Amino acid sequence: MEFPFDVDALLPERITVLDQHLRPPARRPGTTTSARVDLQQQIMTIVDELGKASAKAQHLSAPITSASRMQSNRHVIYVLKDTSARPAGKGTIIGFLKVGYKKLFVLDDREAHNEVEPLCILDFYIHESVQRHGHGRELFQYMLQKERVEPHQLAIDRPSQKLLKFLNKHYNLETTVPQVNNFVIFEGFFAHQHPPPRKLPPKRAEGDIKPYSSSDREFLKVAVEPPWPLNRAPRRATPPAHPPPRSSSLGNSPERGPLRPFVPEQELLRSLRLCPPHPTARLLLAADPGGSPAQRRRTSSLPRSDESRY
């Protein structure tokens, strides 16, 4: 990719590492503030044009790499330039590789959730005119050495088929671990996690959750009535938290307990008639024949004059 400014002077190294500040790699002696602003604007132009070319090659609706996105995220971009070709003495850009650490929830081979923060491949592009010349492997290998990671430790964001074939060809990354998000991880990803991933409990199956049945809920709503005579007595009122002060005329007289509930006389007699006779009373009635109800009726039928004779 060619630009209207001097790329060789702006990026002196073959591979230049840019962070979110997008500043020139080295300050030139005697450079004014306005000149530094111009150099930063040139770097932003390179990043924007590389992002557009990558989006076009991947058939994306919008670029995922731009100067504004770089400034709002803690990502790193590796820019590769061509040092052999110098059209009009300005140099050209071959491609770029963007990486960054992201906090992800990924599944392992047992489908358990793991919270990790790996280095992710976010965008990768080599110009179509110089592909299959080893430039992509050179750029990727430089990034691995700079970041001190192994290929199987990476997480790739929505990789294209070309990128998957590239990783399989140069790094033997073929077997992937299925995920529910857009990131792809390969077998061996969890082998060298530092610190070890924080594992979350596996998702509970829907069949294991047993809510209360309708009968249980209805049973909890029904209040069980206490037996007699407890059901006759009204509930005692809750004493106030701060009782009113007593009159000084009471002195230090002891406090009286609450009175027993009043039961009407007719209700008490009715309840007594309904109560069964005591076993002892049954024995007394059986032992005393004269005490039976029939004997009392015969005795009460005699005249009073006869009663005086006995």
Side-chain angles (χ1 to χ4, degrees):
M1 297 182 63
E2 299 179 4
F3 294 90
F5 44 82
D6 192 352
V7 175
D8 286 336
L10 182 64
L11 307 176
E13 302 295 334
R14 177 171 173 80
I15 299 178
T16 303
V17 183
L18 301 174
D19 58 8
Q20 60 181 350
H21 302 291
L22 298 179
R23 294 172 181 170
R27 293 185 178 181
R28 303 173 184 177
T31 304
T32 62
T33 303
S34 59
R36 287 196 297 268
V37 173
D38 293 338
L39 294 177
Q40 187 177 21
Q41 187 63 40
Q42 292 176 2
I43 292 178
M44 296 174 64
T45 302
I46 293 177
V47 173
D48 288 338
E49 294 301 322
L50 289 174
K52 293 177 182 178
S54 176
K56 182 179 179 181
Q58 300 180 59
H59 305 285
L60 302 178
S61 58
I64 58 177
T65 298
S66 63
S68 59
R69 286 177 177 266
M70 286 290 299
Q71 291 174 336
S72 59
N73 295 279
R74 299 179 62 87
H75 297 159
V76 176
I77 184 171
Y78 292 81
V79 180
L80 176 64
K81 77 171 185 177
D82 188 1
T83 56
S84 59
R86 295 178 57 86
K90 296 181 179 180
T92 58
I93 299 296
I94 295 176
F96 76 100
L97 174 61
K98 185 175 72 171
V99 297
Y101 286 90
K102 283 184 173 293
K103 185 174 293 185
L104 305 175
F105 289 91
V106 296
L107 301 176
D108 56 18
D109 52 358
R110 295 175 296 178
E111 297 186 357
H113 289 80
N114 300 267
E115 183 181 1
V116 295
E117 193 171 1
L119 184 66
C120 302
I121 304 298
L122 303 176
D123 203 357
F124 189 24
Y125 171 72
I126 299 295
H127 195 269
E128 291 80 5
S129 61
V130 291
Q131 289 183 3
R132 301 183 182 275
H133 288 75
H135 300 302
R137 193 181 192 291
E138 177 188 1
L139 183 59
F140 203 92
Q141 192 64 29
Y142 183 89
M143 181 274 300
L144 294 177
Q145 295 176 358
K146 191 75 173 180
E147 301 292 338
R148 296 181 180 181
V149 294
E150 296 294 332
H152 60 266
Q153 295 177 299
L154 299 171
I156 298 91
D157 184 14
R158 286 175 286 191
S160 62
Q161 291 299 322
K162 285 186 177 181
L163 180 55
L164 292 176
K165 292 179 180 179
F166 170 86
L167 296 174
N168 184 19
K169 177 182 178 181
H170 297 289
Y171 300 102
N172 297 323
L173 296 179
E174 182 178 4
T175 305
T176 61
V177 181
Q179 302 296 319
V180 295
N181 50 28
N182 297 323
F183 285 84
V184 172
I185 60 176
F186 292 91
E187 188 178 37
F189 175 82
F190 298 97
H192 303 88
Q193 286 292 329
H194 302 289
R198 184 175 61 182
K199 292 192 174 183
L200 302 178
K203 185 178 180 181
R204 195 172 185 180
E206 295 293 338
D208 296 341
I209 303 175
K210 297 180 180 180
Y212 289 111
S213 61
S214 58
S215 59
D216 295 337
R217 292 194 294 268
E218 294 298 331
F219 172 76
L220 295 176
K221 297 179 182 179
V222 177
V224 180
E225 185 178 1
W228 186 91
L230 299 178
N231 58 351
R232 299 293 183 180
R235 296 183 179 179
R236 299 178 181 177
T238 304
H242 301 284
R246 295 179 297 176
S247 175
S248 59
S249 61
L250 296 178
N252 296 327
S253 59
E255 297 181 0
R256 297 181 182 180
L259 299 177
R260 296 182 179 180
F262 175 75
V263 180
E265 181 179 0
Q266 294 180 357
E267 186 177 353
L268 179 60
L269 294 177
R270 189 185 310 110
S271 60
L272 291 176
R273 285 198 300 269
L274 295 176
C275 291
H278 198 272
T280 306
R282 294 180 179 177
L283 294 175
L284 294 176
L285 292 176
D288 186 8
S292 61
Q295 180 66 22
R296 286 195 298 271
R297 285 196 298 270
R298 287 195 299 269
T299 307
S300 60
S301 61
L302 296 176
R304 292 184 179 274
S305 60
D306 295 338
E307 290 179 357
S308 60
R309 296 177 185 179
Y310 297 92

